């Protein structure tokens, strides 16, 4: 973006210099040429900006493909059941879940009614 702005600024300065230094009978042509060169400079910078964005997007897609290929090549781990059968120490490999305390909550019922347990 900054490089494109620099190109447009340089083109504008060159066009102004060419228009002011031209002989009086050719100043109309110099002004038209300045407008044409500015419009082309804007088109070139927008095309370059599009090219840079497209190449960055392609690079991101290629990186994604590399990650998928790497993950496809990773060896899978063995199941805990398979290890228990081969080692004979299956109880040591099985995870144990911690006990979760249960809570009793009282909800207020209707006026004059008894509270409800959940």
């Amino acid at each position: 973006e900054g490089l494109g702005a620099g190109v447009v600024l340089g083109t504008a300065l060159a066009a102004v210099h060419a228009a002011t230094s031209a002989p009086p009978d050719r100043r109309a042509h110099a002004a038209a040429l300045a407008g044409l060169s500015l419009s082309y400079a804007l088109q070139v910078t927008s095309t370059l900006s599009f090219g840079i964005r497209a190449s960055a997007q392609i690079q991101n897609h290629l990186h994604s493909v590399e990650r998928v290929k790497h993950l496809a090549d990773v060896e899978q781990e063995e199941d805990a059941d398979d290890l228990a059968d081969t080692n004979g120490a299956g109880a040591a490999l099985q995870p144990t879940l911690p006990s979760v305390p249960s809570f009793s909550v009282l909800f207020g019922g209707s006026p004059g009614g008894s509270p409800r347990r959940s």
Side-chain angles (χ1 to χ4, degrees):
E1 301 278 335
L3 181 63
V7 168
V8 171
L9 178 66
T11 304
L13 291 176
V16 168
H17 175 68
T20 56
S21 65
D25 59 335
R26 293 209 169 250
R27 286 200 178 149
H29 295 294
L33 186 61
L36 182 66
S37 63
L38 279 174
S39 68
Y40 275 126
L42 288 171
Q43 279 184 339
V44 166
T45 56
S46 67
T47 302
L48 288 175
S49 177
F50 171 75
I52 290 171
R53 284 191 188 115
S55 66
Q57 188 176 18
I58 288 172
Q59 184 179 8
N60 284 338
H61 289 302
L62 289 175
H63 184 68
S64 297
V65 169
E66 287 177 355
R67 283 189 306 197
V68 168
K69 183 183 179 312
H70 173 72
L71 291 175
D73 293 340
V74 172
E75 293 182 23
Q76 291 187 357
E77 297 178 358
E78 297 180 27
D79 285 340
D81 294 335
D82 294 340
L83 287 175
D85 293 340
T86 58
N87 293 340
L93 294 175
Q94 296 298 324
T96 57
L97 297 175
S99 61
V100 179
S102 61
F103 295 98
S104 178
V105 180
L106 293 176
F107 291 101
S110 60
S114 62
R116 209 176 59 191
R117 281 192 183 269
S118 95

